[in-house]
Protein backbone atom coordinates (compact mmCIF):
# COMPACT_ATOMS: atom_id res chain seq x y z
CA UNK A 1 0.00 0.00 0.00
CA UNK A 2 0.87 3.62 -0.15
CA UNK A 3 1.51 5.64 2.95
CA UNK A 4 2.91 8.92 4.12
CA UNK A 5 4.24 9.25 7.66
CA UNK A 6 4.79 12.48 9.53
CA UNK A 7 4.67 13.34 13.24
CA UNK A 8 1.25 14.16 14.62
CA UNK A 9 2.27 17.19 16.59
CA UNK A 10 5.34 19.31 17.31
CA UNK A 11 5.99 22.25 19.60
CA UNK A 12 8.56 24.98 19.06
CA UNK A 13 9.44 28.39 20.41
CA UNK A 14 8.94 31.70 18.64
CA UNK A 15 12.14 32.72 16.86
CA UNK A 16 13.54 29.20 16.81
CA UNK A 17 13.94 26.65 14.00
CA UNK A 18 11.84 23.51 13.53
CA UNK A 19 12.18 20.58 11.13
CA UNK A 20 9.13 18.53 10.16
CA UNK A 21 9.96 15.15 8.68
CA UNK A 22 8.00 13.12 6.17
CA UNK A 23 8.69 9.59 4.96
CA UNK A 24 6.80 7.99 2.15
CA UNK A 25 6.18 4.72 0.36
CA UNK A 26 4.27 5.15 -2.87
CA UNK A 27 3.81 3.46 -6.21
CA UNK A 28 5.97 5.74 -8.28
CA UNK A 29 7.04 9.28 -7.58
CA UNK A 30 6.29 12.48 -9.42
CA UNK A 31 7.14 15.00 -6.78
CA UNK A 32 6.53 15.88 -3.15
CA UNK A 33 4.50 18.83 -1.93
CA UNK A 34 4.30 20.64 1.38
CA UNK A 35 1.15 22.56 2.24
CA UNK A 36 0.26 24.73 5.22
CA UNK A 37 -3.25 24.49 6.63
CA UNK A 38 -4.61 26.79 9.33
CA UNK A 39 -7.51 25.47 11.35
CA UNK A 40 -10.78 25.67 9.45
CA UNK A 41 -9.09 26.75 6.24
CA UNK A 42 -8.01 25.03 3.04
CA UNK A 43 -4.37 24.11 2.44
CA UNK A 44 -2.02 26.61 0.86
CA UNK A 45 0.96 25.59 -1.23
CA UNK A 46 4.43 25.93 0.29
CA UNK A 47 6.85 23.93 -1.80
CA UNK A 48 7.39 21.30 -4.45
CA UNK A 49 10.44 19.00 -4.72
CA UNK A 50 11.00 16.51 -7.51
CA UNK A 51 14.81 16.35 -7.49
CA UNK A 52 17.06 15.52 -4.54
CA UNK A 53 18.32 18.41 -2.53
CA UNK A 54 17.28 21.50 -0.69
CA UNK A 55 14.90 24.16 -2.01
CA UNK A 56 14.97 27.41 -0.08
CA UNK A 57 12.16 29.94 -0.13
CA UNK A 58 12.50 32.67 2.43
CA UNK A 59 12.06 31.34 5.95
CA UNK A 60 10.91 27.97 4.64
CA UNK A 61 13.11 25.28 3.06
CA UNK A 62 12.24 21.82 1.85
CA UNK A 63 14.57 18.87 1.36
CA UNK A 64 14.11 15.67 -0.59
CA UNK A 65 15.95 12.36 -0.76
CA UNK A 66 14.24 10.06 -3.22
CA UNK A 67 16.47 7.09 -2.45
CA UNK A 68 15.46 7.29 1.21
CA UNK A 69 11.82 8.18 0.59
CA UNK A 70 12.32 11.14 2.88
CA UNK A 71 11.63 14.84 2.98
CA UNK A 72 11.67 17.56 5.56
CA UNK A 73 10.27 21.05 5.85
CA UNK A 74 12.48 23.49 7.73
CA UNK A 75 10.96 26.61 9.22
CA UNK A 76 13.31 29.32 10.49
CA UNK A 77 12.70 32.38 12.65
CA UNK A 78 9.39 30.98 13.75
CA UNK A 79 6.50 33.38 14.15
CA UNK A 80 3.25 32.85 16.02
CA UNK A 81 1.38 32.89 12.69
CA UNK A 82 3.30 29.74 11.69
CA UNK A 83 1.11 27.77 14.10
CA UNK A 84 -0.75 25.49 11.69
CA UNK A 85 -0.81 21.99 10.33
CA UNK A 86 1.77 21.10 7.72
CA UNK A 87 0.76 18.50 5.17
CA UNK A 88 3.16 16.37 3.18
CA UNK A 89 1.78 14.99 -0.10
CA UNK A 90 3.39 12.79 -2.74
CA UNK A 91 2.29 12.57 -6.36
CA UNK A 92 2.39 8.92 -7.39
CA UNK A 93 2.87 7.33 -10.80
CA UNK A 94 -0.77 8.03 -11.68
CA UNK A 95 -0.31 11.70 -10.77
CA UNK A 96 -2.57 11.22 -7.77
CA UNK A 97 -1.71 13.17 -4.64
CA UNK A 98 -1.28 10.91 -1.62
CA UNK A 99 -1.68 12.94 1.55
CA UNK A 100 -0.10 12.57 4.96
CA UNK A 101 -2.24 13.19 8.03
CA UNK A 102 -0.44 16.43 8.73
CA UNK A 103 1.77 17.70 11.53
CA UNK A 104 0.21 20.18 13.91
CA UNK A 105 2.85 22.76 14.80
CA UNK A 106 2.35 24.70 18.02
CA UNK A 107 4.45 27.83 18.49
CA UNK A 108 4.98 29.07 22.03
CA UNK A 109 6.12 32.59 22.88
CA UNK B 1 -1.30 32.32 -7.69
CA UNK B 2 -4.59 31.28 -9.20
CA UNK B 3 -7.82 31.75 -7.24
CA UNK B 4 -10.44 29.13 -6.53
CA UNK B 5 -13.67 30.02 -4.75
CA UNK B 6 -16.20 27.84 -3.00
CA UNK B 7 -19.76 28.60 -2.06
CA UNK B 8 -21.17 28.39 0.51
CA UNK B 9 -18.39 28.59 3.06
CA UNK B 10 -20.60 27.17 5.76
CA UNK B 11 -23.93 25.34 5.66
CA UNK B 12 -26.16 23.76 8.25
CA UNK B 13 -28.97 21.53 7.07
CA UNK B 14 -31.46 19.00 8.35
CA UNK B 15 -30.97 15.31 7.92
CA UNK B 16 -32.44 14.05 4.66
CA UNK B 17 -32.00 17.25 2.69
CA UNK B 18 -29.60 17.80 -0.21
CA UNK B 19 -26.83 20.36 -0.27
CA UNK B 20 -25.02 21.76 -3.30
CA UNK B 21 -21.49 23.14 -3.07
CA UNK B 22 -20.00 25.16 -5.91
CA UNK B 23 -16.33 25.38 -6.83
CA UNK B 24 -15.16 28.01 -9.29
CA UNK B 25 -11.77 28.79 -10.78
CA UNK B 26 -11.82 32.58 -11.05
CA UNK B 27 -8.85 33.44 -13.24
CA UNK B 28 -7.96 30.25 -15.08
CA UNK B 29 -9.59 27.37 -16.86
CA UNK B 30 -9.58 24.24 -14.76
CA UNK B 31 -9.16 21.14 -16.85
CA UNK B 32 -9.50 18.99 -13.77
CA UNK B 33 -11.18 19.58 -10.44
CA UNK B 34 -10.85 17.50 -7.30
CA UNK B 35 -13.19 17.12 -4.36
CA UNK B 36 -11.79 16.30 -0.94
CA UNK B 37 -13.32 15.65 2.44
CA UNK B 38 -11.52 16.23 5.70
CA UNK B 39 -12.72 15.08 9.10
CA UNK B 40 -11.32 16.76 12.22
CA UNK B 41 -7.65 16.02 12.84
CA UNK B 42 -7.48 13.78 9.79
CA UNK B 43 -5.84 14.05 6.42
CA UNK B 44 -7.48 15.18 3.22
CA UNK B 45 -9.38 12.32 1.63
CA UNK B 46 -9.85 12.50 -2.13
CA UNK B 47 -13.47 11.79 -2.99
CA UNK B 48 -13.49 12.20 -6.76
CA UNK B 49 -11.72 13.66 -9.75
CA UNK B 50 -13.64 15.36 -12.50
CA UNK B 51 -12.64 16.51 -15.95
CA UNK B 52 -14.72 19.08 -17.77
CA UNK B 53 -17.47 17.50 -19.82
CA UNK B 54 -16.97 13.95 -18.60
CA UNK B 55 -18.16 11.83 -15.71
CA UNK B 56 -16.31 12.07 -12.43
CA UNK B 57 -14.02 9.30 -11.27
CA UNK B 58 -14.86 8.33 -7.71
CA UNK B 59 -12.45 6.91 -5.17
CA UNK B 60 -13.14 3.54 -3.64
CA UNK B 61 -15.75 3.70 -0.94
CA UNK B 62 -17.31 6.97 -2.14
CA UNK B 63 -20.93 6.54 -3.21
CA UNK B 64 -21.41 8.23 -6.56
CA UNK B 65 -25.19 8.31 -6.16
CA UNK B 66 -24.85 10.12 -2.86
CA UNK B 67 -22.16 12.58 -3.88
CA UNK B 68 -23.16 13.92 -7.29
CA UNK B 69 -20.46 15.80 -9.14
CA UNK B 70 -21.02 17.94 -12.20
CA UNK B 71 -18.14 19.63 -14.03
CA UNK B 72 -20.18 21.48 -16.61
CA UNK B 73 -17.62 24.07 -17.63
CA UNK B 74 -13.91 24.81 -17.36
CA UNK B 75 -14.54 27.14 -14.44
CA UNK B 76 -17.28 25.43 -12.45
CA UNK B 77 -17.76 22.13 -10.67
CA UNK B 78 -20.52 21.29 -8.22
CA UNK B 79 -20.79 18.67 -5.51
CA UNK B 80 -24.27 17.75 -4.32
CA UNK B 81 -24.59 15.77 -1.11
CA UNK B 82 -27.93 14.02 -1.48
CA UNK B 83 -30.04 12.96 1.49
CA UNK B 84 -27.42 14.21 3.89
CA UNK B 85 -26.99 12.54 7.28
CA UNK B 86 -25.05 13.62 10.37
CA UNK B 87 -22.12 11.38 9.41
CA UNK B 88 -21.72 13.48 6.24
CA UNK B 89 -20.80 16.47 8.40
CA UNK B 90 -17.31 17.40 7.36
CA UNK B 91 -15.08 19.98 5.72
CA UNK B 92 -15.37 19.70 1.94
CA UNK B 93 -12.57 21.21 -0.13
CA UNK B 94 -12.25 21.49 -3.87
CA UNK B 95 -9.09 22.06 -5.85
CA UNK B 96 -8.52 22.89 -9.49
CA UNK B 97 -5.71 22.22 -11.91
CA UNK B 98 -5.19 24.09 -15.14
CA UNK B 99 -3.19 21.82 -17.38
CA UNK B 100 -1.11 18.68 -17.03
CA UNK B 101 -1.06 16.38 -13.99
CA UNK B 102 2.28 17.91 -12.99
CA UNK B 103 0.67 21.32 -12.59
CA UNK B 104 -0.11 22.66 -9.15
CA UNK B 105 -3.53 22.17 -7.62
CA UNK B 106 -5.08 25.34 -6.28
CA UNK B 107 -7.42 24.88 -3.36
CA UNK B 108 -10.70 26.56 -2.62
CA UNK B 109 -11.34 27.86 0.90
CA UNK B 110 -13.50 24.89 1.85
CA UNK B 111 -17.12 24.39 2.91
CA UNK B 112 -18.03 23.38 6.43
CA UNK B 113 -21.13 21.15 6.28
CA UNK B 114 -23.07 20.39 9.44
CA UNK B 115 -26.00 18.01 9.18
CA UNK B 116 -28.35 18.08 12.16
Amino acid sequence: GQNIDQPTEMTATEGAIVQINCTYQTSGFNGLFWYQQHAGEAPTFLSYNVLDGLEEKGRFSSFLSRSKGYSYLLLKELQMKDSASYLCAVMDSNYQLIWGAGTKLIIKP
Amino acid sequence: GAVVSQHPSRVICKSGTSVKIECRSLDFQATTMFWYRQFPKQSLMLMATSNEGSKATYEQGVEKDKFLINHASLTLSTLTVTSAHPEDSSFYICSARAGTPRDEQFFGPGTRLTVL
Side-chain angles (χ1 to χ4, degrees):
Chain A
Q2 308 199 97
N3 68 284
I4 311 286
D5 289 315
Q6 50 182 134
T8 304
E9 188 174 296
M10 299 181 71
T11 302
T13 305
E14 189 177 15
I17 298 174
V18 71
Q19 177 174 311
I20 303 174
N21 296 324
C22 171
T23 57
Y24 62 89
Q25 291 175 305
T26 57
S27 56
F29 180 83
N30 278 300
L32 185 145
F33 297 79
W34 284 97
Y35 282 83
Q36 180 190 61
Q37 185 178 26
H38 285 99
E41 298 181 13
T44 54
F45 171 80
L46 289 178
S47 67
Y48 171 66
N49 293 65
V50 68
L51 299 176
D52 290 350
L54 187 68
E55 295 274 346
E56 296 187 75
K57 192 186 292 185
R59 293 189 299 115
F60 293 4
S61 303
S62 57
F63 171 83
L64 174 68
S65 169
R66 288 172 296 171
S67 62
K68 295 181 180 179
Y70 167 71
S71 172
Y72 68 71
L73 179 69
L74 190 72
L75 293 76
K76 303 177 185 176
E77 301 169 19
L78 286 170
Q79 301 174 9
M80 297 303 294
K81 66 178 182 179
D82 297 330
S83 292
S85 286
Y86 291 85
L87 309 177
C88 173
V90 173
M91 186 171 282
D92 69 9
S93 57
N94 294 319
Y95 297 100
Q96 287 260 51
L97 276 180
I98 311 300
W99 293 87
T103 298
K104 182 178 180 181
L105 178 62
I106 300 168
I107 310 294
K108 295 185 175 180
Chain B
V3 179
V4 176
S5 70
Q6 263 182 260
H7 178 78
S9 59
R10 197 178 289 269
V11 58
I12 301 173
C13 69
K14 292 182 179 180
S15 186
T17 59
S18 294
V19 174
K20 180 186 281 189
I21 303 170
E22 291 187 351
C23 177
R24 293 181 184 273
S25 57
L26 298 185
D27 51 2
F28 69 102
Q29 293 186 321
T31 309
T32 307
M33 286 187 168
F34 305 86
W35 285 97
Y36 293 88
R37 181 168 51 182
Q38 187 177 35
F39 293 106
K41 299 185 179 181
Q42 294 188 22
S43 182
L44 291 172
M45 298 293 294
L46 179 65
M47 298 175 68
T49 303
S50 74
N51 293 295
E52 185 265 339
S54 58
K55 289 184 179 180
T57 302
Y58 289 81
E59 294 300 302
Q60 195 172 9
V62 178
E63 299 174 59
K64 61 180 181 180
D65 294 330
K66 180 171 180 62
F67 299 99
L68 302 178
I69 292 172
N70 187 325
H71 192 163
S73 75
L74 284 171
T75 59
L76 173 65
S77 177
T78 60
L79 167 68
T80 301
V81 183
T82 62
S83 187
H85 292 285
E87 59 265 29
D88 298 323
S89 298
S90 186
F91 191 46
Y92 291 85
I93 308 172
C94 74
S95 70
R97 186 178 68 204
T100 69
R102 289 181 178 270
D103 289 335
E104 181 184 340
Q105 289 184 30
F106 297 97
F107 285 86
T111 297
R112 174 76 58 193
L113 171 63
T114 303
V115 185
L116 302 177

